[in-house]
Amino acid sequence: MSLSVSRALPVWLVCVLAVACATVQTTAPGTVGVERKQTVSPLVNRNSLNRQAALQYRQVVTNAERKNALNVDLHQTERVRRIAARLTPAVAAFRPDAVGWKWEVNVLASKEVNAWCMPGGKIAVYSGLIEQLKITDDELAAVMGHEIAHALREHAWERASQAVNAQLGLTVIGIALGASGASMDMAGMAYQAMFALPNSREQETEADRIGVELAARAGYDPRAAISLWEKMGKVSGGAPPQWLSTHPSQESRQKDLAVYSAKVLPLYEQAKAH
């Protein structure tokens, strides 16, 4: 007895998506206890994603250099790199392998209030973040720790996997229904997930918590994360900047940061004593 397309389709979809999923633990939980296991797709090659990130970072740096917007203020650049040099050894608490990443840190001259860290440790801080927020070293460590946490947790890999699995499901449906042109642009999906699609709120909360621990272990006051987001709210007129649009609300974020900064305060005190 043959099955109709409408009845066979769920079986197709379940089988394909089951093959296309795997569960990984990208980091140790640390003192803050980030223990969520992440679902990724073997169809998204982790090493290829990291190579693509490195190429994209090089393009951003090259374009900034051509516009005379790369590391214009040597004092700013030295300051950011000094903080990064203290943060990067602290990543060993979550991922010992990340200590050996080819870390790179640059400051881009821009009015935009922004910072990011690509997979593999490629960091960019925008001068607008430093100047508009009149940011302290502790607050800058909070921002950079947060962005480094995204790289440690490989959130880009996770987002790319979600995007590919969604496209895979559409492709299976298209084939089952006899649609022409059902295809899956893996490279395009990975690019979108890394550079265009926002982090989920769950990912942002993880980055907040890991970020305060990285800052504390590096000898920066983790409580500065709270004042940082207060400044963010003021500079954006009460609404989060576009790059923070999926972040938790300011109220819930501050409550969570208060709890977790207190939890890692002994690490800060210990680091300051040495």
Side-chain angles (χ1 to χ4, degrees):
M1 183 176 69
S2 63
L3 292 173
S4 67
V5 168
S6 61
R7 293 180 61 190
L9 180 57
V11 178
W12 279 47
L13 193 52
V14 169
C15 290
V16 172
L17 293 180
V19 171
C21 294
T23 302
V24 297
Q25 187 71 39
T26 54
T27 61
T31 299
V32 291
V34 173
E35 297 180 315
R36 180 179 67 92
K37 290 185 178 179
Q38 297 158 270
T39 300
V40 296
S41 171
L43 297 176
V44 179
N45 186 280
R46 185 189 216 168
N47 294 330
S48 295
L49 196 67
N50 289 344
R51 285 195 296 270
Q52 187 177 9
L55 289 172
Q56 180 69 13
Y57 186 79
R58 185 52 43 208
Q59 183 178 347
V60 169
V61 168
T62 300
N63 288 344
E65 192 170 27
R66 287 173 180 166
K67 297 175 182 178
N68 295 317
L70 180 67
N71 301 320
V72 175
D73 186 324
L74 296 182
H75 174 72
Q76 279 187 354
T77 303
E78 190 277 333
R79 181 188 179 198
V80 170
R81 287 178 175 172
R82 182 179 68 248
I83 293 171
R86 286 171 56 176
L87 287 169
T88 50
V91 304
F94 295 95
R95 288 189 62 156
D97 68 303
V99 177
W101 285 356
K102 294 181 180 179
W103 293 90
E104 189 172 349
V105 185
N106 287 287
V107 177
L108 307 182
S110 169
K111 293 182 180 179
E112 189 175 349
V113 178
N114 201 359
W116 39 264
C117 179
M118 286 185 179
K122 307 301 184 184
I123 300 172
V125 175
Y126 290 51
S127 60
L129 177 77
I130 299 169
E131 295 162 1
Q132 292 192 47
L133 299 186
K134 295 182 172 55
I135 204 165
T136 67
D137 282 3
D138 291 323
E139 290 167 346
L140 191 49
V143 174
M144 295 172 67
H146 175 97
E147 298 305 325
I148 288 170
H150 282 307
L152 296 178
R153 287 289 287 168
E154 299 193 67
H155 285 152
W157 184 25
E158 187 177 15
R159 293 196 310 277
S161 296
Q162 292 166 350
V164 164
N165 281 341
Q167 181 62 39
L168 182 62
L170 292 174
T171 299
V172 171
I173 292 171
I175 293 172
L177 297 178
S180 61
S183 63
M184 184 165 44
D185 180 3
M186 294 294 182
M189 296 295 283
Y191 179 89
Q192 285 293 314
M194 197 181 337
F195 306 117
L197 298 179
N199 291 295
S200 69
R201 295 195 175 197
E202 188 172 39
Q203 291 170 339
E204 292 298 343
T205 297
E206 289 177 348
D208 274 353
R209 295 175 182 178
I210 292 174
V212 295
E213 181 165 342
L214 291 175
R217 289 182 178 276
Y220 294 102
D221 191 337
R223 294 166 295 189
I226 301 171
S227 62
L228 167 71
W229 299 118
E230 288 175 349
K231 287 183 178 181
M232 284 285 193
K234 290 177 181 177
V235 80
S236 58
Q242 186 174 358
W243 67 289
L244 300 178
S245 59
T246 61
H247 287 215
S249 70
Q250 184 169 327
E251 183 180 357
S252 63
R253 161 171 257 141
Q254 288 178 333
K255 287 180 179 178
D256 195 72
L257 285 171
V259 170
Y260 283 88
S261 61
K263 185 174 287 190
V264 300
L265 204 56
L267 297 175
Y268 167 61
E269 299 294 349
Q270 183 180 359
K272 290 290 285 183
H274 288 81

